[in-house]
Amino acid sequence: MSLKLHLKPHEKIILGGAVIKCGNNPVNFFVENNSVAILRQKDIMTEAGATTPARRVYFVLQLMYIDNDSNNSKFFERFEGLEQEMITAAPSSRRYFVEIRDCITSGGLYRALKTARELIDYEEQLVEQANIRLPIKLPQVSGLTEAGSP
Amino acid sequence: MAINDISLTSGMRNNLLSLQNTTTLINRTQTRLSTGKSVNTALDNPTNFFAAQTATARATDLSNRKDGMSEAVQMVSAANAGITGITSLIESAQGVAQAALATTSVTDRASYETTFNTLMTQITELASDSGYRGTNFLNSQNQTVEFAPATGGATLQIQGFDATATGLGLSTAGTGSGSIDWADSTTGTAGIQSSATQLENALNTLRSQSSTLSANLSVVTSRQTFTDNMVSTLQTGADNLTLADTNQEGANLLMLQTRQSLGITSLSLASQAAQAVLKLF
């Protein structure tokens, strides 16, 4: 089954280890073999972007997917460490982890990533809910100076 | 320097802020919890209650897969023990061939032939005895290991090979058909040398098959660990699920986020290739 892809101008995509960038005109194309890692720009998380527990989970799964190495124990271990921490903090996130693990086990890493995306949304909801119920005034930061600046 | 004499890097300040932020949040959550408000029970959250039940049932399914995996580990171990034994038999046979080369007496070479053939028979017997519960990787048998809860969802096919003397390409010594004659006065020396070459090739075959088996073994064991933890993910905290307080969870998550960002472990475990790819975004 081929996969239809649409790229906007200057949009990047990971395609089986290559990074492809669209030129000035939008492009439609088909990927005939779906067995390689395909990730759109909007789905790619950099390490700097992995700032919350759920985002870290996504990041590790993304590495597994790009490396195309779902049997690698170093990824497993890191994933499990993050999973344990998150389940302890938020037991209700377990159902996402169960699904993610199912996907990993059956080799559907792309589906695992999609579920991890849902986990990120869920985490946002939980944190937001806690914030709405308990409004907090953030200290003003504008008056502080950065280290190294005059 | 308006605020204080210690200037913070922006990263440190962000951590400090979220730490202060979280502490306030946790304190208020604790207060609210101690007043007994908004704690869910199994009764007012049936969804979570049944999710917990399903999880326990799935843990049972996975336990069956674990049995299959440990069986596969046993099969590989049995094959591995066989390979070790066969390797040392081949090394003995190499010694016999060396000794036969060292003498020119036809009588002596004929008696070395007998010793060599005994070793060949032992190799074949050992290969036949290296099975576990009916699967013998040293007799060309294969085994499919199931990992996923659904049959056929994720499998690993472990391929066996023929480790009998014939399978390893070893001919017996003697005058029969298909045998190499060591005791012939003119072609004996060449015969012993070709036996020695066969032995070397057999050793190489064993080494490469052995490393394939151990690669398979490490896949199975890492899957085993993963499945073990999957079962505990499913089983533990089923109670927590029915008692989850989402407000407290939000606060906990913020605290965890702060703790993780203060930690120094880098997340990058990617291969060079993947790192190079991610740098472009």
Side-chain angles (χ1 to χ4, degrees):
Chain A
M1 199 190 99
S2 61
L3 175 78
K4 185 182 176 182
L5 283 172
H6 173 77
L7 285 191
K8 297 183 190 73
H10 311 299
E11 191 184 351
K12 289 180 189 171
I13 188 170
I14 290 180
L15 192 53
V19 177
I20 291 167
K21 186 178 176 181
C22 186
N24 293 327
N25 302 316
V27 174
N28 279 315
F29 60 94
F30 295 88
V31 181
E32 295 287 344
N33 62 329
N34 246 337
S35 52
V36 294
I38 301 172
L39 262 187
R40 291 183 185 81
Q41 185 157 4
K42 66 178 173 63
D43 292 329
I44 289 165
M45 183 176 294
T46 57
E47 189 166 358
T51 48
T52 71
R55 283 170 172 269
R56 282 168 183 257
V57 170
Y58 183 92
F59 184 77
V60 169
L61 290 173
Q62 175 187 263
L63 293 183
M64 230 187 253
Y65 181 62
I66 295 175
D67 263 359
N68 204 359
D69 193 356
S70 54
N71 282 324
N72 194 317
S73 55
K74 74 179 177 186
F75 290 132
F76 279 173
E77 282 162 24
R78 185 58 56 89
F79 166 78
E80 283 169 349
L82 292 167
E83 176 196 56
Q84 279 311 319
E85 287 183 331
M86 188 153 179
I87 289 178
T88 312
S92 65
S93 64
R94 247 172 84 252
R95 60 180 186 273
Y96 293 96
F97 282 103
V98 169
E99 197 173 323
I100 288 172
R101 277 176 172 275
D102 265 3
C103 298
I104 295 178
T105 317
S106 45
L109 280 175
Y110 190 78
R111 275 198 309 127
L113 273 178
K114 283 180 89 161
T115 311
R117 176 62 66 185
E118 289 167 22
L119 178 70
I120 292 174
D121 296 343
Y122 181 66
E123 179 190 60
E124 272 173 16
Q125 276 178 38
L126 285 175
V127 171
E128 207 175 307
Q129 195 177 20
N131 276 326
I132 292 170
R133 292 275 190 100
L134 309 158
I136 282 178
K137 279 203 158 55
L138 275 178
Q140 288 297 308
V141 291
S142 51
L144 295 173
T145 53
E146 292 297 331
S149 62
Chain B
M1 300 300 276
I3 301 292
N4 57 28
D5 291 342
I6 303 166
S7 50
L8 301 169
T9 66
S10 60
M12 278 163 69
R13 181 165 335 100
N14 286 339
N15 282 337
L16 196 62
L17 284 181
S18 49
L19 203 56
Q20 293 166 340
N21 193 347
T22 312
T23 315
T24 323
L25 196 53
I26 297 286
N27 288 340
R28 297 194 194 179
T29 310
Q30 299 290 20
T31 318
R32 210 194 51 247
L33 280 174
S34 62
T35 60
K37 283 179 196 160
S38 76
V39 177
N40 296 332
T41 64
L43 282 177
D44 56 26
N45 197 338
T47 321
N48 276 353
F49 182 73
F50 288 113
Q53 278 199 318
T54 320
T56 317
R58 300 246 325 269
T60 319
D61 294 349
L62 278 166
S63 300
N64 298 338
R65 289 284 178 249
K66 273 172 51 188
D67 293 346
M69 288 182 222
S70 28
E71 292 288 88
V73 170
Q74 292 297 335
M75 289 168 197
V76 174
S77 303
N80 208 28
I83 288 178
T84 311
I86 292 172
T87 304
S88 69
L89 286 172
I90 289 181
E91 283 163 356
S92 308
Q94 282 179 316
V96 174
Q98 288 305 320
L101 272 180
T103 174
T104 49
S105 148
V106 171
T107 328
D108 287 353
R109 282 188 174 182
S111 77
Y112 282 128
E113 273 187 345
T114 317
T115 316
F116 180 83
N117 288 341
T118 310
L119 287 169
M120 292 302 107
T121 313
Q122 284 181 335
I123 288 174
T124 301
E125 282 170 0
L126 187 53
S128 311
D129 291 345
S130 297
Y132 174 84
R133 292 232 185 154
T135 301
N136 187 349
F137 291 137
L138 302 192
N139 260 354
S140 304
Q141 289 178 323
N142 306 327
Q143 178 70 24
T144 304
V145 193
E146 294 271 0
F147 297 128
T151 303
T155 57
L156 173 74
Q157 170 89 345
I158 303 180
Q159 301 270 4
F161 67 107
D162 188 350
T164 58
T166 326
L168 291 170
L170 299 170
S171 315
T172 47
T175 50
S177 90
S179 300
I180 296 172
D181 193 356
W182 287 15
D184 187 277
S185 53
T186 47
T187 60
T189 305
I192 299 172
Q193 281 166 343
S194 73
S195 285
T197 311
Q198 284 183 355
L199 290 169
E200 273 172 37
N201 293 340
L203 272 185
N204 288 334
T205 306
L206 281 178
R207 282 188 195 120
S208 80
Q209 292 286 3
S210 168
S211 73
T212 309
L213 275 178
S214 66
N216 281 327
L217 184 64
S218 70
V219 169
V220 177
T221 48
S222 95
R223 283 285 194 171
Q224 250 182 326
T225 319
F226 188 74
T227 311
D228 273 346
N229 294 342
M230 173 80 171
V231 172
S232 70
T233 299
L234 287 163
Q235 281 173 331
T236 55
D239 304 340
N240 291 349
L241 189 63
T242 53
L243 294 170
D245 171 20
T246 47
N247 283 296
Q248 196 188 5
E249 289 191 3
N252 288 352
L253 281 170
L254 280 173
M255 192 154 70
L256 174 60
Q257 182 177 324
T258 308
R259 209 180 64 212
Q260 284 182 339
S261 63
L262 289 170
I264 47 167
T265 43
S266 157
L267 268 177
S268 256
L269 333 121
S271 63
Q272 291 296 329
Q275 280 180 354
V277 164
L278 282 177
K279 272 202 185 78
L280 297 168
F281 287 89

